[in-house]
Structure formats: C-alpha cells, structure tokens
Amino acid sequence: DIQLTQSPSFLSASVGDRVTITCRASQGISSYLAWYQQKPGKAPKLLIYAASTLQSGVPSRFSGSGSGTEFTLTISSLQPEDFATYYCQQLNSFGGGTKVEIK
Amino acid sequence: EVQLVESGGGLVKPGGSLRLSCAASGFTFSSYSMNWVRQAPGKGLEWVSSISSSSSYIYYADSVKGRFTISRDNAKNSLYLQMNSLRAEDTAVYYCARGLTLGGVDPWGQGTLVTVSS
C-alpha cells in the first residue's frame, strides 16, 4: 500500500503569511493527489484534485503542485478562515494531516 | 444541490453489528464510485472502503476486511456499510463521499457517529 507523509504536522502562522504544506508518497502516484481542508466538527472539504486543479468555488489563494512522489499545497496569503487542518489523499490513503494555527 | 446524508450510527457493544446508510441526491448516483471514510475522535482521516458505480469493483482497508461489507442500490440512490464484529477501535465518525474520476472525493456527507463500547 502507498503511504502518504505530510509535513509539517503542525504550523503556526499569521494572517497574510504564505504557507506551504508538503505530502510525500512512498512510491510514484502520477498526479492522483487531492487536498482537503477540515474545520472542527465539520466534514472535510475538497480544495485541489489531480494535484493542481482547483475545485470549483475554492479561493485562488489555494494552489497545488507536484507529481510522482512529492506534492505541495500552498496558501498564498493566509486568511482568518484558513485556520484548519489540511489532509492529502491518494485513492485509499490519507496523509496524517497538518494543523494550521494562528501565531 | 448535490447532497449525501448518512444515517444508522449509534452505540453498539463490542462484537455487535451496525448498518450505515448514505442517501444521495442531486446527481446521477449510478455514474459515480462511492466511498466510506472514517475519523476516530481527535484523529486523522482513514479510508475504509470503495465501490465502483456498478458494484463491479470493491475495495477495503486491511483494518476492516472480512468484517465490513460495502454495497449500493442504484435504484434507491443509496450506499450502505454493513459492519460486523465491531471493535472499540472502530469508534469513529463515518462519512460517505462521492468519488471523482481524476481522484479525490466530493462532496462528503455530514457524518454519522459509531461508538463501540460496553
């Protein structure tokens, strides 16, 4: 089975900061990677699929890149509503999550 | 509006059984694969099971293989998860989610809580 490793697992940032989260796969997965945002008590929300395609309705400050085994989610300018936990996913595997908190 | 609504969660004793349901609306249910994903309290997301649009392909996480059974009824726009031999570690919120062709799942239901405890 493919393992996904996210880093960091926790980050503290300020409004307006540029934030980058990395997801590494244990073997090549082409571009079949998705990113989700989850807020406490809520279901996850799809942000990015196919590694770099922005889901409809998601703000353009979110972007995804990468292929093969290394992928990144970038938030260009962190907004108050972006403080949440982020997960990457490939088919039957999720990363461990990255919690983004206010500095 | 595309919507998924789970039901069937609750408190069950170890070794017991439970059947979760997911009612779909707002899209052509029979054209999409479907998934169950769970989240234990305070933990991350764990994929549980997937089923293709026509039920031809079914996959399970090793942690539930042999105990859980996924199924669907396209005529009723419904997805199911039969959970047998439940363990304390199966305690989680269970979400159903629609599969996308290029990967990822969307949308997700609101989740249903399953608690396995004596």
Side-chain angles (χ1 to χ4, degrees):
Chain A
D1 287 357
I2 294 172
Q3 311 298 321
L4 297 179
T5 303
Q6 276 184 245
S7 60
S9 55
F10 173 87
L11 74 86
S12 181
S14 301
V15 172
D17 283 353
R18 181 182 181 88
V19 167
T20 298
I21 299 169
T22 298
C23 180
R24 290 187 173 86
S26 58
Q27 61 190 80
I29 58 173
S30 186
S31 297
Y32 291 102
L33 191 95
W35 290 96
Y36 302 88
Q37 177 193 68
Q38 187 180 33
K39 296 182 179 179
K42 300 293 188 182
K45 172 187 171 185
L46 178 67
L47 300 175
I48 303 280
Y49 63 94
S52 61
T53 303
L54 196 66
Q55 173 70 341
S56 176
V58 174
S60 59
R61 63 181 179 273
F62 291 93
S63 64
S65 64
S67 65
T69 61
E70 187 153 335
F71 302 84
T72 59
L73 172 70
T74 299
I75 309 172
S76 60
S77 177
L78 201 63
Q79 297 302 300
E81 59 269 31
D82 300 337
F83 292 95
T85 300
Y86 294 84
Y87 296 93
C88 59
Q89 182 218 7
Q90 186 272 337
L91 295 178
N92 61 357
S93 182
F94 283 91
T98 296
K99 188 173 185 180
V100 177
E101 289 198 342
I102 301 173
K103 182 182 285 184
Chain B
E1 178 194 5
V2 176
Q3 193 171 15
L4 298 170
V5 179
E6 302 94 337
S7 60
L11 175 64
V12 62
K13 289 181 168 54
S17 298
L18 214 53
R19 189 195 197 206
L20 305 184
S21 298
C22 172
S25 60
F27 66 101
T28 305
F29 180 72
S30 59
S31 295
Y32 290 85
S33 65
M34 296 296 296
N35 302 264
W36 288 101
V37 177
R38 69 184 180 183
Q39 187 169 36
K43 302 297 184 183
L45 300 171
E46 180 187 14
W47 171 81
V48 173
S49 182
S50 298
I51 185 168
S52 64
S53 57
S54 60
S55 304
S56 298
Y57 300 97
I58 288 175
Y59 305 96
Y60 297 100
D62 288 344
S63 57
V64 307
K65 202 173 293 182
R67 300 187 299 121
F68 289 11
T69 302
I70 191 172
S71 62
R72 64 190 295 162
D73 185 335
N74 287 344
K76 294 183 178 179
N77 291 340
S78 293
L79 175 72
Y80 306 102
L81 186 68
Q82 177 66 44
M83 304 186 296
N84 299 330
S85 302
L86 283 161
R87 306 166 180 167
E89 54 264 36
D90 295 318
T91 295
V93 174
Y94 285 74
Y95 296 100
C96 69
R98 183 181 68 172
L100 302 180
T101 305
L102 294 179
V105 294
D106 183 76
W108 299 57
Q110 85 287 353
T112 188
L113 177 62
V114 172
T115 303
V116 184
S117 174
S118 55

